[in-house]
Amino acid sequence: MNNKDLLLAIDNGTQSVKALIFDLEGRIVAKEIVPFTPYYSDNPGWAEQDPEVFWQALCRACQGLWHQEINYKERIAGVALTTQRATVINVDKNGKPLRPAMIWLDQRKTHGLRPLGGPWGFLFKIIRLSDTIAYFQAEAEANWIKTYQPDLWQNTYKYLLLSGYLTYRLTGEFVDSIGCQVGYIPFDYKKLRWASKRDWKWEVLPIKQSMLPKVIPPGQPLGNITQKAASETGLPAGLPLIAAAADKACEVIGSGSLDPSIGCLSYGTTATINVTSKKYIEAIPMLPPYPSAVPEYHAIEVQIFRGYWMVSWFKEEFGYQEQREAARQGLEVENLFEKLVEKIPPGSMGLMLQPFWSPGLKNPGPEAKGAIIGFGDVHTRAHLYRSILEGLAYALREGKERIEKRTGIPITNLKVSGGGSQSKSAMQLTADIFGLPTARPHIYETSGLGASIDAAVGLGLHKDFESAVKAMTHVGEVFEPDVKTHQLYSQLYHDVYKKMYKRLKPFYERIREITGYPK
């Protein structure tokens, strides 16, 4: 029997690093979590973090595994890494960060940049996408750094995503997984490689090809744990690091979704709906599908920015009573919020919420704002809380319909990951709003599980992704839709929710003109 039969997945999220050891059936045999403050902000809208915070949390998480009652170190066959998306780090030739990491939550923009000219500029003007390209320019972290910190940019040797930075710390190589390339970078999402020399992205970004790492498909080796990394993490030197993917992509395969008919919902800080597709399909024009955790596949995705962050926002702004009571009783505050929402009927007695607290690029556009309509004297905080959960599900149902229209393949069942999946109320109302069976996986750590699936295939412990997903992912609790409740939700969805944005858009635009927010 092969005694190297376990897999280590390192999951660097927005608020913690998790070190998770899985067996080949997808069970967690050991787990260590090291929380950290997500970011600090020196100015409104900024979100930065010292890259050393991520590395030290990773080291402590790994070291924590070796101090548990049973030490599985000798049985680990390999490691895989998954991280938050679109967090960028500038480093010098020695891999030393030159500035704090810009976290994906950072909202600063670079205005006044020269518009895209030449043939590309003319083409985008003709097809009315000049504003989309200008948005891309303004949002790109590289443009802000080049504009406001030109000397630092001049000294940048490599421009890395968090995944590439941690891979360097582990292996000593400037290399990253194709599956992790999500952000304002010159990546060709159709061909799954760095963009060709004539691609328009090189013209609107200051990034040179030499500043980017080599990229490797998921399931392939990135390198081996160095002696230095081994001394800091406790990992065996020489252990192979296998390419995985970004956290959302890993969640998809960790939930068991390898088919366009299976919708994977992520109820995390950003709420998303994904399907895995061999074909390159843009659910929203000019917004590409991201690389899948399966090589040569794409994750077709629709995002709701500030998704389940809205639940945290509600707890912070309106949940003092529950927080105080939970502390008094020694309970998790989520238990009290679950009881709060259980008392409210489906539809929140007509309270309808549009969850655009943070606008997107398109559908909704950058002028969008959140909206709540239908208030009456019967409504309480509990109604508002339920309307948040319902509004997010409505928005993701709209995303499902966009994906179906583009793929031509109906989504017939749902799998839900992320923190929101732990709420039975959220799961049931999701099933009722979509009218589909809605399951949560057998474990909560689907991102780490997806990374371990990449490792299992890359190490030959499972022969291919189909067999690995079949062996390592399992359905947990399934929530069936109630027919009458689905009918009620569908009426509200079609007759109210889907018409809200179009009716309110002129007001959003006028508000922006008057107040300047959002820019």
Side-chain angles (χ1 to χ4, degrees):
M1 178 181 174
N2 181 7
N3 66 338
K4 301 285 187 180
D5 59 346
L6 298 177
L7 306 156
L8 172 61
I10 298 170
D11 182 357
N12 191 150
T14 302
Q15 301 182 69
S16 67
V17 169
K18 302 172 185 176
L20 308 157
I21 298 178
F22 290 90
D23 67 16
L24 296 180
E25 285 73 50
R27 293 184 291 257
I28 295 176
V29 299
K31 174 179 179 178
E32 189 74 19
I33 302 176
V34 176
F36 52 78
T37 301
Y39 61 87
Y40 62 86
S41 183
D42 288 340
N43 290 283
W46 290 25
E48 297 185 323
Q49 184 56 274
D50 180 355
E52 192 66 19
V53 168
F54 299 126
W55 175 247
Q56 290 301 325
L58 184 155
C59 293
R60 290 200 305 275
C62 290
Q63 291 283 3
L65 291 174
W66 322 136
H67 293 100
Q68 294 186 10
E69 185 176 350
I70 302 177
N71 189 333
Y72 294 99
K73 184 189 294 190
E74 299 305 318
R75 292 174 57 187
I76 294 175
V79 189
L81 172 70
T82 181
T83 70
Q84 55 179 274
R85 307 187 297 186
T87 289
V88 297
I89 301 172
N90 300 61
V91 301
D92 64 15
K93 289 185 179 181
N94 298 315
K96 182 178 179 181
L98 298 173
R99 69 177 315 283
M102 288 181 74
I103 305 301
W104 66 273
L105 288 163
D106 195 284
Q107 296 179 48
R108 75 189 85 178
K109 298 172 177 58
T110 312
H111 298 288
L113 295 170
R114 183 174 62 85
L116 178 64
W120 279 115
F122 179 74
L123 173 62
F124 286 128
K125 187 174 182 180
I126 291 295
I127 60 178
R128 299 182 178 181
L129 285 174
S130 295
D131 287 348
T132 300
I133 304 306
Y135 183 93
F136 180 98
Q137 282 182 278
E139 289 286 331
E141 297 87 355
N143 281 331
W144 191 93
I145 299 170
K146 173 68 166 59
T147 300
Y148 296 103
Q149 298 176 332
D151 292 342
L152 186 148
W153 186 262
Q154 187 69 28
N155 292 325
T156 297
Y157 179 66
K158 292 293 182 183
Y159 185 68
L160 305 173
L161 295 171
L162 176 59
S163 51
Y165 172 72
L166 293 177
T167 295
Y168 173 78
R169 296 294 297 262
L170 289 166
T171 68
E173 303 288 339
F174 289 117
V175 63
D176 199 1
S177 173
I178 287 172
C180 294
Q181 304 313 303
V182 179
Y184 294 100
I185 50 177
F187 192 76
D188 185 331
Y189 289 96
K190 186 173 186 178
K191 296 181 180 179
L192 297 172
R193 64 189 188 194
W194 294 122
S196 66
K197 292 182 179 179
R198 287 182 283 186
D199 193 290
W200 62 270
K201 297 184 190 74
W202 297 108
E203 296 184 36
V204 299
L205 296 170
I207 302 169
K208 298 177 182 178
Q209 177 82 53
S210 61
M211 298 170 69
L212 299 168
K214 181 181 179 181
V215 286
I216 304 293
Q220 297 295 315
L222 292 167
N224 300 92
I225 303 302
T226 65
Q227 189 62 55
K228 185 175 188 301
S231 66
E232 295 185 63
T233 63
L235 290 167
L239 198 67
L241 178 67
I242 305 299
D247 52 6
K248 297 289 185 183
C250 284
E251 275 187 10
V252 175
I253 65 167
S255 298
S257 175
L258 283 179
D259 188 295
S261 68
I262 301 173
C264 180
L265 305 183
S266 176
Y267 280 169
T269 306
T270 295
T272 60
I273 179 167
N274 280 271
V275 299
T276 303
S277 173
K278 182 71 171 175
K279 293 182 180 179
Y280 175 91
I281 296 172
E282 296 176 356
I284 299 172
M286 284 299 291
L287 295 184
Y290 296 127
S292 169
V294 180
E296 299 183 13
Y297 277 72
H298 307 275
I300 304 173
E301 178 178 292
V302 173
Q303 297 183 5
I304 309 301
F305 296 107
R306 301 285 185 179
Y308 263 69
W309 167 89
M310 292 181 64
V311 172
S312 300
W313 168 81
F314 177 87
K315 291 174 183 176
E316 185 68 26
E317 300 297 332
F318 303 102
Y320 175 71
Q321 179 179 328
E322 282 72 28
Q323 292 183 43
R324 186 176 60 181
E325 184 62 21
R328 188 183 70 81
Q329 295 187 37
L331 301 173
E332 294 289 333
V333 69
E334 285 74 16
N335 294 337
L336 298 184
F337 278 100
E338 189 76 356
K339 291 180 180 179
L340 196 69
V341 76
E342 286 172 356
K343 300 175 183 177
I344 306 304
S348 301
M349 298 184 73
L351 203 60
M352 297 291 292
L353 180 142
Q354 206 170 47
F356 303 148
W357 264 234
S358 184
L361 172 56
K362 300 174 72 175
N363 302 301
E367 82 294 328
K369 293 179 177 292
I372 311 172
I373 63 172
F375 272 111
D377 59 5
V378 298
H379 290 118
T380 65
R381 291 179 310 117
H383 291 87
L384 175 58
Y385 184 59
R386 186 178 181 98
S387 74
I388 290 173
L389 303 182
E390 291 173 339
L392 289 168
Y394 286 139
L396 291 173
R397 176 174 169 177
E398 193 170 30
K400 163 188 170 288
E401 292 171 359
R402 288 183 182 279
I403 292 171
E404 289 174 326
K405 185 176 180 180
R406 297 290 292 166
T407 64
I409 300 171
I411 293 173
T412 55
N413 63 76
L414 303 175
K415 296 188 177 181
V416 184
S417 298
S421 68
Q422 301 308 292
S423 165
K424 287 192 173 186
S425 296
M427 292 294 294
Q428 186 59 56
L429 70 83
T430 299
D432 291 337
I433 286 174
F434 282 79
L436 293 173
T438 301
R440 50 187 175 200
H442 71 291
I443 60 169
Y444 170 69
E445 306 292 357
T446 50
S447 184
L449 178 56
S452 73
I453 289 171
D454 276 310
V457 176
L459 294 165
L461 298 176
H462 284 297
K463 65 177 182 178
D464 53 35
F465 280 92
E466 289 76 13
S467 58
V469 168
K470 184 177 181 180
M472 297 178 71
T473 68
H474 313 282
V475 174
E477 189 173 2
V478 179
F479 296 79
E480 295 289 344
D482 178 84
V483 175
K484 287 186 178 180
T485 305
H486 175 60
Q487 290 172 348
L488 179 148
Y489 276 132
S490 287
Q491 284 184 298
L492 289 170
Y493 173 70
H494 288 293
D495 296 346
V496 183
Y497 181 84
K498 289 195 72 175
K499 296 178 180 180
M500 283 175 68
Y501 178 65
K502 185 176 181 180
R503 300 276 180 92
L504 292 172
K505 184 178 178 181
F507 297 116
Y508 294 151
E509 291 171 340
R510 186 61 185 137
I511 289 170
R512 185 167 69 166
E513 290 170 2
I514 295 169
T515 67
Y517 177 81
K519 293 182 180 180

